[in-house]
Amino acid sequence: MAPQRQSPVPLAVDTSTACLRGWYALLVLRGWLYRFARTLFDQTIRLYYGRIEVTGRVRVPEAGPVILVANHPNSVADACLVGTQITGRRVNFIAKDTLTRAPVLGWLARSAGVVGVARPMEYGGDKELARERNRRAVETCVPRLLAGEVMAIFGEGISTDARHLHVIRRGAVRFGYAAEQAAGFRLGVAWVPVGITYSAKQRFRSDVLIRIGAPLRLRDLHPDPAAGEAEVVERGTERLQREIGDLVVNIEKEELADLIDRASDLLGNPDAPMEARVERQQRVARALQDVNDTQPRRLADLETALARYDRRLLDAGLTDEAVRQRHPTLALWQSLRGLLAHGTLLLLNRYGWINSLLPRWTSYLLGGLARLIEESGAGDGKSRSALVQQVAWSTYGGWLGAAIALPAQILLVFLWISAGRGRTTGAVVAAIYALTLIPSWRMYVQRRDLFQRHVARTREALRFLLNARGALRLQADRRRIARALRALLAEHEAAAGARGLEDRDTPGP
């Protein structure tokens, strides 16, 4: 009997099953890529920055569609912070499409959930192409919001060294409005404002504050959002501008930045929590910028007093950190104890120092190179951000050094142990070593921070004690300037409160 011909149906079933398995494998791969990227960014940001404070985490909804709208002062570092420090939920970024269209990096970015949008400035006169690509970006984001995911966007659209918030663009609200429109305005998208502030973004181990504002929904903007998209988008964008502006320090006139920083330091403890420092800096910035417009002579007197105080510090061989100490003998004793304790631990933790040699060197090298390149091109008429580029290149340099050094170090440990103990033992020891690499690096950096802090405090206490008479006179000068500053702040806030009461009592049209 001739063999029967097999039915094609099982073949079709097998083919569809294979396709499903292929898609499932792709999804698993993309999920793994996202988890790996998030872990890498979290470790990187905790290594690069010292104290990271986050306030208002509870304001981010635990479920449902969310759009995080943040300011953008520091390039790739901002993305690392927003993606890892705000919520435990998966965060999909909306970023410039030059990132997602890159040959290899673009695929990795898209696999990690990045959606590319077109910035008109990068498309020259081809506005139609930019609009088409932005339409596709909306089509990509809407299903994710309908599925209740978290999207993140930097509302300013650019990253610069300016100390003020730029204009928030309408795209942040448009993406959410499109999703609401697709769901019949019953989706409940929450726009969450996020403010990021760095104490010194270009400095390794700087402090960072992330402040999260109250979520904003369509019902907060218009009783009937379906009636007019343009009005809702405009209101939402203006609201986000105000909300994010209240979360960060806005210094509109760059020439006042140094004076504002100096006055803020004079009024408070530099070791205070980052939120307290930012709130103090906000108060000082508002007051001094208002005084600059209304009483410029008073601001000039303040600048003169600070300049005279700084000259006296220089003549006496002292610093403001030394003069601000109230009990230098006690501070010296505590610092010496800290030096002994943390210095001993730092010596024991040379393991982390050795593990991180190449990544640290490449980070410093590329960061310095980026700064030199940007500063050398500052006179060509283009807007540049030397500090932003320095941080970005430093981060990339650290990743590059780690990508080269860490696998090589693990391989060397494996080969070394395998030569005497066998491949199985070598694999176990290499795996344990791999797990300790980054934690040992972080521990070393943290110990070094504490040691350097105690060294600085010891030095300042000794300076005070060696020139106690001059330090006491300078303390009196410092107190006088601080009293004048507090009086200025009190007057400004009282006047602002009075204006607010007048505005509230004034009947509307």
Side-chain angles (χ1 to χ4, degrees):
M1 180 180 294
Q4 294 182 350
R5 186 178 179 181
Q6 292 183 350
S7 170
V9 175
L11 180 61
V13 172
D14 291 343
T15 303
S16 62
T17 303
C19 289
L20 288 173
R21 287 175 179 170
W23 280 108
Y24 177 74
L26 181 61
L27 290 172
V28 169
L29 174 63
R30 289 186 172 182
W32 179 85
L33 280 173
Y34 175 81
R35 288 192 293 273
F36 173 78
R38 180 167 180 142
T39 302
L40 174 65
F41 294 159
D42 180 60
Q43 295 296 330
T44 299
I45 211 70
R46 290 183 183 276
L47 280 169
Y48 199 93
Y49 293 103
R51 184 164 45 178
I52 301 175
E53 298 179 19
V54 184
T55 63
R57 271 199 189 99
V58 295
R59 291 174 166 173
V60 181
E62 296 181 359
V66 174
I67 300 179
L68 302 173
V69 188
N71 64 317
H72 199 13
N74 208 10
S75 187
V76 66
D78 299 334
C80 293
L81 288 167
V82 172
T84 62
Q85 306 300 314
I86 292 179
T87 177
R89 300 174 63 184
R90 174 174 177 144
V91 180
N92 304 282
F93 280 90
I94 302 171
K96 59 182 181 180
D97 64 352
T98 51
L99 174 64
T100 57
R101 288 190 287 113
V104 177
L105 184 60
W107 178 81
L108 290 171
R110 293 193 302 273
S111 299
V114 178
V115 178
V117 294
R119 299 195 300 182
M121 67 185 75
E122 294 169 353
Y123 279 79
D126 198 348
K127 296 182 179 179
E128 288 301 322
L129 179 59
R131 288 195 190 98
E132 174 61 21
R133 287 188 170 163
N134 283 335
R135 185 185 61 80
R136 293 178 188 173
V138 172
E139 291 175 353
T140 303
C141 288
V142 166
R144 297 186 185 187
L145 291 170
L146 291 174
E149 296 189 20
V150 178
M151 308 296 297
I153 185 170
F154 296 108
E156 298 165 286
I158 55 173
S159 180
T160 71
D161 295 332
R163 299 282 297 275
H164 64 269
L165 183 67
H166 291 80
V167 174
I168 299 297
R169 302 181 184 277
R170 295 179 177 85
V173 181
R174 281 184 177 143
F175 281 106
Y177 187 90
E180 287 282 6
Q181 199 171 34
F185 298 97
R186 295 188 300 272
L187 185 58
V189 173
W191 287 269
V192 179
V194 178
I196 306 172
T197 304
Y198 300 84
S199 62
K201 65 182 179 182
Q202 78 281 10
R203 193 183 69 226
F204 184 61
R205 304 298 290 170
S206 164
D207 293 339
V208 187
L209 173 66
I210 305 172
R211 303 171 82 184
I212 302 169
L216 171 68
R217 292 182 170 84
L218 280 183
R219 63 174 177 268
D220 301 319
L221 303 174
H222 200 285
D224 183 16
E229 176 181 358
E231 185 177 0
V232 171
V233 170
E234 188 68 27
R235 287 186 183 181
T237 303
E238 290 176 357
R239 181 80 172 269
L240 286 171
Q241 183 83 43
R242 291 196 303 271
E243 296 284 345
I244 300 175
D246 290 340
L247 299 174
V248 299
V249 179
N250 268 311
I251 302 178
E252 296 295 338
K253 295 183 178 180
E254 290 294 326
E255 62 270 19
L256 295 178
D258 290 340
L259 177 61
I260 290 170
D261 291 340
R262 190 78 178 83
S264 299
D265 291 340
L266 202 71
L267 288 177
N269 185 355
D271 294 328
M274 187 68 179
E275 185 175 24
R277 283 184 275 163
V278 168
E279 289 178 350
R280 181 172 68 242
Q281 201 168 26
Q282 285 179 314
R283 292 178 60 209
V284 172
R286 286 192 293 265
L288 294 191
Q289 289 179 116
D290 183 62
V291 169
N292 182 61
D293 294 332
T294 58
Q295 305 176 63
R297 180 63 186 173
R298 190 173 184 183
L299 192 69
D301 291 342
L302 175 62
E303 288 184 286
T304 301
L306 280 170
R308 187 186 306 117
Y309 171 69
D310 289 338
R311 283 196 304 272
R312 290 177 178 173
L313 281 174
L314 186 63
D315 293 340
L318 294 168
T319 64
D320 187 61
E321 288 74 18
V323 172
R324 75 167 61 242
Q325 298 182 77
R326 295 185 178 181
H327 306 288
T329 306
L330 178 60
L332 178 61
W333 170 244
Q334 291 175 339
S335 299
L336 289 173
R337 288 175 57 191
L339 277 177
L340 179 62
H342 293 293
T344 304
L345 292 172
L346 192 62
L347 286 173
L348 294 175
N349 199 29
R350 302 307 283 180
Y351 174 66
W353 176 79
I354 294 170
N355 287 337
S356 63
L357 272 177
L358 184 60
R360 284 189 288 113
W361 286 351
T362 52
S363 177
Y364 296 150
L365 177 64
L366 289 187
L369 181 62
R371 184 69 183 271
L372 290 175
I373 291 173
E374 294 300 328
E375 288 180 347
S376 66
D380 60 4
K382 294 182 179 179
S383 176
R384 296 184 181 272
S385 304
L387 299 185
V388 169
Q389 296 304 320
Q390 180 182 353
V391 173
W393 281 45
S394 294
T395 305
Y396 296 144
W399 288 343
L400 176 63
I404 295 171
L406 302 190
Q409 291 169 200
I410 294 168
L411 178 61
L412 286 174
V413 169
F414 170 73
L415 294 176
W416 176 42
I417 300 298
S418 297
R421 301 283 183 174
R423 298 176 68 86
T424 302
T425 305
V428 172
V429 173
I432 295 172
Y433 174 70
L435 292 174
T436 63
L437 277 171
I438 293 181
S440 68
W441 185 0
R442 286 180 56 182
M443 188 178 297
Y444 163 73
V445 172
Q446 290 167 357
R447 291 296 178 192
R448 189 190 63 181
D449 287 350
L450 292 170
F451 182 78
Q452 290 176 344
R453 195 175 303 161
H454 284 295
V455 168
R457 288 175 177 172
T458 301
R459 183 173 58 246
E460 302 308 332
L462 286 172
R463 282 179 175 173
F464 189 103
L465 293 172
L466 291 173
N467 192 358
R469 183 176 297 177
L472 290 171
R473 284 198 299 267
L474 285 165
Q475 273 190 342
D477 291 343
R478 194 177 190 279
R479 283 194 293 269
R480 280 195 295 272
I481 298 173
R483 282 197 298 270
L485 270 171
R486 291 191 182 95
L488 187 150
L489 289 179
E491 290 177 23
H492 171 265
E493 289 168 359
R499 287 196 299 268
L501 288 174
E502 289 177 4
D503 293 341
R504 191 175 62 182
D505 294 338
T506 302

